[in-house]
Amino acid sequence: MDATTLVVTGAVVAAALLAVALGVLVRLVRARRALRRAGLPTGPRWVFWGAVAYLLLPTDLLPDPVYLDDIAVLLLALRSLRAARPLPPGPDGP
């Protein structure tokens, strides 16, 4: 392979990764808005965002080819969100 092919391949891979990262960012922003609108207490929201951070961080309890710890953390966060009761509406309404 010559240098031009390598540069073009690298650029295509970088563009694909950027597109995926932007898609994930849009989904996270939508999830943040949905959590705010749901009127959940702050604690379960922090648990959810902590689980997302744990999923993205390179350090894990188990090596990355085994995603059992990541799945368990996300499931526990979703369970805490589901069990949370919405806050009562304030004086200005919901």
Side-chain angles (χ1 to χ4, degrees):
M1 280 210 234
D2 59 341
T4 307
T5 306
L6 288 175
V7 169
V8 169
T9 303
V12 169
V13 169
L17 287 174
L18 180 62
V20 170
L22 288 175
V24 169
L25 180 64
V26 167
R27 287 183 181 185
L28 286 175
V29 168
R30 286 181 183 165
R32 181 177 175 261
R33 288 181 186 160
L35 287 174
R36 277 196 173 168
R37 278 185 265 142
L40 292 174
T42 306
R45 286 188 284 171
W46 279 105
V47 170
F48 172 76
W49 290 115
V52 170
Y54 180 78
L55 179 68
L56 297 177
L57 289 175
T59 56
D60 279 339
L61 294 176
L62 298 173
D64 251 348
V66 181
Y67 289 108
L68 294 177
D69 59 333
D70 297 326
I71 292 170
V73 168
L74 285 173
L75 286 176
L76 288 173
L78 291 174
R79 187 176 184 185
S80 72
L81 281 176
R82 188 173 184 174
R85 301 282 183 238
L87 293 172
D92 297 333

